[in-house]
Amino acid sequence: MYLRLSTAALALLGSAICTMADEVNVYSYRQPELIQPLADGFTADTGIAVNIAFVDKGMAERLIAEGKRSPADLVMTVDISRLMELVDAGVTQPVESAVLKENIPANLRASDDEWFGLTSRARIVYASKERVKDGEVTTYEDLADPKWKGRICSRSGTHPYNVALLGAMIAHHGEAEAKTWAEGLKANLARKPAGSDRDQVKAIWAGECDIAIGNTYYMGQMVNDPEQKEWADSVRIVFPVFEGDGTHMNVSGVAMTKAAPNKDAALKFMEWLSEDHAQKIYAETNYEFPVKLGVPRSALVESWGAFTPDSLNLTDVAKERPAALRIMEEVNFDG
Ligand code: FE
């Protein structure tokens, strides 16, 4: 017999299936290649299955629509603003855990326990080994200097990574100065923003620009890709700072959903993600910085050198997201 189920019935069925013992259901904005080894490691250690639904966009809307019947226990994503968006939408719940508090430094988790950072990353400059001298790039502010005219490549100004960077600029200097900076940066672009962070490094390799803004871990990914290794070899990593402060940081993180049908198992997975085994997987397979003290960065990441992280609180950076987006549009960054 052909059975036709309504969406509501399907959701009910889904939540009935997923509330069976010893399972955790994750909605993830992060890519399957990275999350699956973590899920597999957790299952091997605990016997608890992890079901992952990879979501492209609209996670908050989806969780709101599903309401109490949502099968999701956890959400995983990169970028502080995406975490805050879920918290602000009211689809998460605070988690009380001594393990999470011990493993994750206070500046990398919410003060109200609504989200927890699992890795951090720096947004840095990739500089041409041939055309940029050592010490020529020092601050983010300097990227707006006309001396870089026609020499900078960047992905879209409205990508969350760049919105967060501009948000940090606003938090440091105020909106007016940040807008002047964004105008200056745009005026220095060698081409219209397009593509990924790695595409900007490729453009340096191809001679289209001399410096690019990108996240640290992409260097690790490029070095290990036969085609992209050449791009990586054409640049070095420079850790710019905000004047008088440090290098812009962002996180990837996790939060428990308000509906969480498998709360105990979900908490176990959250805690496991903050422990050594998982933190090493993040460090070695994706070249991110572990948040847990004492877990080493990968040797490759270490080879990029030491730097001072910016002292801004990430929640304060996320608060500037609407202003940063508006400025990116006002200066027509992608135009
Ligand atoms: Fe990324």
Side-chain angles (χ1 to χ4, degrees):
M1 194 185 87
Y2 179 68
L3 196 63
R4 196 183 174 124
L5 291 172
S6 69
T7 312
L10 272 175
L12 258 181
L13 187 66
S15 77
I17 289 167
C18 297
T19 45
M20 288 192 308
D22 293 338
E23 279 197 313
V24 184
N25 300 315
V26 179
Y27 283 0
S28 174
Y29 275 141
R30 299 213 71 182
Q31 286 160 3
E33 310 85 76
L34 175 67
I35 301 303
Q36 200 57 53
L38 293 160
D40 293 345
F42 176 67
T43 305
D45 280 0
T46 63
I48 300 172
V50 181
N51 308 307
I52 309 167
F54 295 97
V55 180
D56 249 9
K57 55 186 175 195
M59 199 188 287
E61 292 77 6
R62 179 166 167 177
L63 287 165
I64 290 168
E66 291 173 347
K68 286 181 189 152
R69 288 172 179 167
S70 175
D73 299 295
L74 299 177
V75 290
M76 293 178 76
T77 180
V78 296
D79 184 51
I80 179 62
S81 294
R82 285 190 177 159
L83 285 165
M84 295 294 295
E85 185 192 3
L86 293 160
V87 173
D88 292 345
V91 295
T92 61
Q93 63 173 304
V95 168
E96 190 52 54
S97 161
V99 173
L100 290 173
K101 283 201 168 120
E102 160 130 20
N103 288 346
I104 305 170
N107 64 323
L108 296 176
R109 54 182 160 83
S111 55
D112 57 5
D113 301 324
E114 291 273 355
W115 59 265
F116 297 85
L118 295 169
T119 64
S120 70
R121 59 275 299 283
R123 193 145 185 80
I124 49 89
V125 160
Y126 288 99
S128 163
K129 281 179 184 166
E130 277 175 17
R131 301 182 297 278
V132 180
K133 289 197 259 336
D134 264 337
E136 221 179 327
V137 183
T138 51
T139 67
Y140 295 103
E141 288 85 348
D142 180 62
L143 300 180
D145 188 291
K147 76 179 179 206
W148 296 113
K149 195 161 182 58
R151 298 176 65 192
I152 301 180
C153 280
S154 169
R155 78 192 308 167
S156 167
T158 57
H159 187 278
Y161 298 160
N162 281 339
V163 172
L165 177 64
L166 182 56
M169 187 62 79
I170 295 170
H172 275 294
H173 297 297
E175 278 188 40
E177 247 185 79
K179 185 176 173 183
T180 306
W181 178 78
E183 275 166 346
L185 179 62
K186 185 208 149 86
N188 288 340
L189 293 179
R191 57 178 197 176
K192 270 191 193 190
S196 65
D197 279 355
R198 274 179 279 188
D199 289 325
Q200 316 313 316
V201 179
K202 182 184 182 185
I204 294 177
W205 167 77
E208 283 183 77
C209 36
D210 296 342
I211 61 177
I213 301 168
N215 284 355
T216 37
Y217 52 87
Y218 290 118
M219 185 62 142
Q221 296 176 1
M222 288 186 291
V223 165
N224 287 292
D225 181 301
E227 189 203 344
Q228 298 173 4
K229 181 151 190 320
E230 272 189 88
W231 313 347
D233 288 343
S234 74
V235 296
R236 64 174 180 278
I237 283 183
V238 177
F239 293 97
V241 295
F242 287 107
E243 279 166 11
D245 209 318
T247 298
H248 174 61
M249 306 295 291
N250 207 325
V251 289
S252 81
V254 63
M256 189 179 285
T257 67
K258 191 167 256 173
N262 308 293
K263 217 175 151 177
D264 293 346
L267 176 59
K268 268 191 200 148
F269 188 39
M270 287 175 94
E271 291 178 339
W272 186 87
L273 289 168
S274 76
E275 298 278 24
D276 291 46
H277 185 177
Q279 290 286 299
K280 274 184 201 148
I281 293 175
Y282 276 122
E284 296 295 335
T285 64
N286 205 42
Y287 309 100
E288 295 178 82
F289 308 135
V291 291
K292 188 178 180 218
L293 278 180
V295 178
R297 295 174 179 178
S298 83
L300 177 67
V301 173
E302 278 298 331
S303 75
W304 301 333
F307 66 95
T308 308
D310 193 47
S311 66
L312 280 178
N313 185 311
L314 280 177
T315 318
D316 292 333
V317 172
K319 264 188 223 149
E320 302 299 345
R321 180 182 150 80
L325 267 173
R326 179 168 39 76
I327 289 172
M328 284 299 192
E329 261 146 44
E330 281 170 4
V331 306
N332 193 22
F333 194 85
D334 292 351

